[in-house]
């Protein structure tokens, strides 16, 4: 609709239900009911409110939104970014990449366990006198091989091995890696979630293996043990990989907790959660209550308290998978407490300090939670032996502190 020079257009005479053009010298303004930006356009001294659609801005916004759908950050690119920011060095990047590769291989083995005849007992015992599952043995070999091949690992210590091992092929490596290659392997035959747990330390100078040295292997092993027996406070990095409906890799470098999910389409871990924070309190507890009668009376009172509906009329919910990684991951996301206490049969509980309790406690503290043996912080405990066991209570800070009051 052209604007007459004889009359002043009124608001009522302008219909915005259709496209209209106002000509002013050489400038055309597109006016529409659904336009984005309001402007004033001047026509012979008369100000007319005009709706102007900036097509270029809308197109750019749409383009940006479309690009964000495909912008994925892989674990590899994330690690490189941490290296660029000076949080880790190139060698630790390589070690963590080798661990992620081991986890991918183990995930494939777990998913094909029934097909590949990898279910059932291997027929041997591990360092703790426990029956080894076939996948325990295979997973341990996969983890060890990936760490050796990295060329950056000096010492490796596995829950499945009697003693730590100095990696001869890469004895200049700067890192110690402790790991449980397949936590919850007793659940494999039932296809219940399992996982791998790891922690990374720097060595002291007591275990630099020199192939030309006449040092006996026993002495080397003793030096390795000294290096590995470090408190959790010394951890540089820790994480776990959970093999379930999704393969999830959770990692901390001491600056927050990050979660990556394996994309089966192209075999890469993709960043899916940043700076995970565990709720300060929760209404879920995970204990094996089949051992209730074997527990300390103080722990029984605590559990009875959780079951009491109280004024709210809602007791805590019990959720126990029997796989540390699975139970811990749920607790990390939803809050609450997981516990594996000592009992009359296992005076120090069942979980290993180096391979399970310390790495998980490092992760939970980075997420704002707490790990305790009931009386002291897990990360403060100085290991006195490689396969040392300790009770573990881990989860939301308020829930763990509540339990500690029962033991005080």
């Amino acid at each position: 609709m052209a604007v007459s020079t004889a009359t002043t257009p009124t608001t009522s005479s302008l219909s915005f239900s259709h496209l209209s053009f106002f000509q002013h010298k050489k400038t055309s303004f597109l006016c529409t009911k659904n336009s984005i930006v309001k402007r004033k356009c001047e026509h012979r001294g008369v100000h007319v409110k005009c709706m102007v659609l900036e097509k270029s801005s809308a197109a750019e916004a749409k383009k940006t939104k479309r690009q964000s759908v495909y912008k994925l950050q892989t674990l590899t690119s994330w690690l490189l970014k941490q290296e660029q920011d000076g949080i880790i060095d190139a060698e630790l990047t390589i070690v963590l990449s080798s661990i992620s590769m081991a986890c991918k291989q183990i995930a494939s083995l777990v998913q094909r366990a029934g097909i590949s005849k990898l279910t059932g007992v291997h027929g041997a015992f591990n360092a703790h006198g426990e029956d080894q599952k076939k996948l325990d043995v295979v997973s341990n070999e996969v983890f060890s091989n990936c760490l050796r091949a990295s060329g950056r690992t000096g010492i490796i210590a596995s829950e499945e091995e009697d003693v730590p091992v100095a990696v001869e092929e890469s004895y200049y490596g700067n890192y110690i890696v402790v790991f449980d290659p397949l936590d919850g392997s007793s659940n494999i035959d039932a296809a219940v979630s399992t996982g791998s747990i790891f922690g990374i330390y720097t060595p002291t100078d007591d275990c630099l293996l020199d192939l030309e040295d006449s040092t006996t292997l026993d002495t080397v092993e003793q030096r390795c043990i000294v290096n590995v027996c470090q408190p959790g406070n010394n951890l540089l990095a820790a994480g776990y990989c959970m093999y379930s409906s999704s393969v999830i890799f959770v990692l901390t470098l001491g600056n927050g907790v990050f979660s990556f999910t394996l994309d089966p389409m192209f075999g890469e871990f993709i960043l899916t959660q940043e700076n995970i924070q565990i709720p300060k309190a929760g209404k879920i507890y995970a204990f094996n209550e089949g051992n209730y009668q074997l527990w300390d009376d103080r722990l029984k009172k605590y559990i009875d308290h959780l079951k009491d509906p109280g004024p709210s009329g809602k007791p805590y919910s019990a959720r126990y998978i029997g796989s540390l990684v699975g139970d811990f991951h749920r607790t990390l996301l939803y809050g609450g407490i997981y516990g594996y206490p000592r009992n009359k049969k296992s005076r120090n509980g069942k979980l290993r300090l180096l391979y399970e309790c310390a790495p998980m406690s490092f992760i939970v503290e980075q997420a704002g939670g707490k790990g305790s043996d009931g009386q002291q912080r897990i990360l403060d405990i100085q290991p006195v032996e490689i396969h040392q066991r300790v009770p573990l209570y881990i989860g939301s800070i308020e829930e763990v502190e509540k339990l500690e009051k029962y033991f005080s």
Side-chain angles (χ1 to χ4, degrees), residues 33-285:
K33 185 177 180 180
N34 297 318
S35 298
I36 297 174
V37 181
K38 291 183 178 179
R39 288 184 180 173
K40 287 183 179 180
C41 57
E42 184 177 351
H43 179 73
R44 295 194 176 183
V46 179
H47 292 281
V48 179
K49 290 186 178 179
C50 179
M51 304 293 289
V52 180
L53 175 61
E54 293 189 346
K55 289 186 175 180
S56 59
S57 298
E60 288 175 4
K62 189 174 182 180
K63 184 179 179 182
T64 302
K65 185 177 181 180
R66 183 165 60 248
Q67 287 178 338
S68 67
V69 175
Y70 299 100
K71 186 178 180 180
L72 301 176
Q73 187 169 14
T74 66
L75 174 60
T76 301
S77 62
W78 185 84
L79 288 172
L80 291 173
K81 182 64 167 61
Q82 306 308 303
E83 183 183 331
Q84 291 170 1
D85 292 343
I87 296 172
I88 57 177
D89 61 22
E91 292 198 348
L92 186 53
T93 298
I94 294 172
V95 172
L96 288 166
S97 295
S98 70
I99 290 174
S100 72
M101 176 58 70
C103 291
K104 291 177 188 178
Q105 293 184 48
I106 295 172
S108 178
L109 290 168
V110 168
Q111 290 168 352
R112 294 179 51 81
I115 299 171
S116 304
K117 309 298 182 184
L118 288 174
T119 56
V121 179
H122 175 64
F125 299 93
N126 64 13
H128 317 287
E130 302 165 336
D131 286 329
Q132 284 183 310
K133 295 284 186 177
K134 292 177 183 177
L135 267 179
D136 281 325
V137 178
V138 176
S139 299
N140 184 64
E141 185 175 350
V142 167
F143 228 98
S144 298
N145 288 342
C146 285
L147 289 170
R148 290 172 184 272
S150 74
R152 300 296 185 273
T153 310
I155 307 169
I156 57 176
S158 168
E159 181 186 335
E160 302 297 328
E161 303 286 352
D162 292 334
V163 294
V165 177
V167 181
E168 294 86 354
E169 296 92 333
S170 58
Y171 56 90
Y172 290 114
N174 288 330
Y175 294 101
I176 297 170
V177 181
V178 297
F179 59 93
D180 180 353
L182 194 60
D183 172 75
S185 58
S186 59
N187 290 322
I188 283 290
D189 295 0
V192 177
S193 60
T194 55
S196 301
I197 307 170
F198 64 90
I200 301 176
Y201 296 88
T202 53
T204 63
D205 293 331
D206 294 331
C207 192
L208 297 178
L209 182 61
D210 187 347
L211 295 181
E212 297 180 356
D213 196 347
S214 59
T215 307
T216 64
L217 183 61
D218 288 343
T219 305
V220 171
E221 289 179 353
Q222 290 173 6
R223 289 180 179 177
C224 290
I225 290 171
V226 169
N227 272 271
V228 171
C229 284
Q230 298 185 46
N233 275 329
N234 291 355
L235 278 165
L236 297 176
Y240 61 87
C241 188
M242 183 175 69
Y243 314 116
S244 185
S245 57
S246 296
V247 179
I248 299 175
F249 189 89
V250 176
L251 174 66
T252 180
L253 303 176
N255 62 340
V257 180
F258 299 81
S259 179
F260 302 80
T261 302
L262 183 64
D263 187 334
M265 293 296 290
F266 55 96
E268 288 284 352
F269 283 107
I270 305 300
L271 179 63
T272 47
Q273 288 179 283
E274 300 183 64
N275 294 310
I276 298 173
Q277 288 292 301
I278 186 172
K280 291 184 178 180
K283 284 291 186 178
I284 299 175
Y285 72 96

Side-chain angles (χ1 to χ4, degrees), residues 295-408:
W295 288 343
D296 184 285
D297 288 339
R298 293 170 295 180
L299 180 59
K300 290 180 182 179
K301 290 180 180 178
Y302 169 73
I303 295 296
D304 292 341
H305 163 73
L306 299 185
K307 293 180 178 180
D308 185 356
S312 68
K314 294 182 179 180
Y316 281 58
S317 297
R319 300 285 187 271
Y320 187 73
I321 299 172
S323 167
L324 172 59
V325 171
D327 280 312
F328 177 84
H329 189 70
R330 183 198 58 246
T331 304
L332 180 66
L333 298 182
Y334 301 156
I337 185 170
Y338 168 87
Y340 203 107
R342 58 168 51 95
N343 58 53
K344 293 178 182 178
K345 292 173 60 178
S346 303
R347 299 303 303 173
N348 292 312
K350 183 181 178 182
L351 302 179
R352 264 67 60 167
L353 174 59
L354 280 173
Y355 313 108
E356 296 164 319
C357 301
M360 290 305 205
S361 294
F362 187 53
I363 294 169
V364 82
E365 286 198 9
Q366 286 297 314
K370 188 172 185 178
S372 170
D373 69 351
Q375 296 176 317
Q376 64 176 323
R377 180 172 173 251
I378 289 291
L379 297 184
D380 290 335
I381 300 176
Q382 172 66 53
V384 294
E385 59 183 62
I386 293 297
H387 300 296
Q388 180 176 342
R389 302 174 191 255
V390 294
L392 176 66
Y393 306 100
I394 193 168
S396 299
I397 188 166
E398 291 183 10
E399 302 303 331
V400 175
E401 289 179 348
K402 186 187 300 182
L403 176 139
E404 287 178 325
K405 290 178 181 178
Y406 280 82
F407 284 92
S408 60

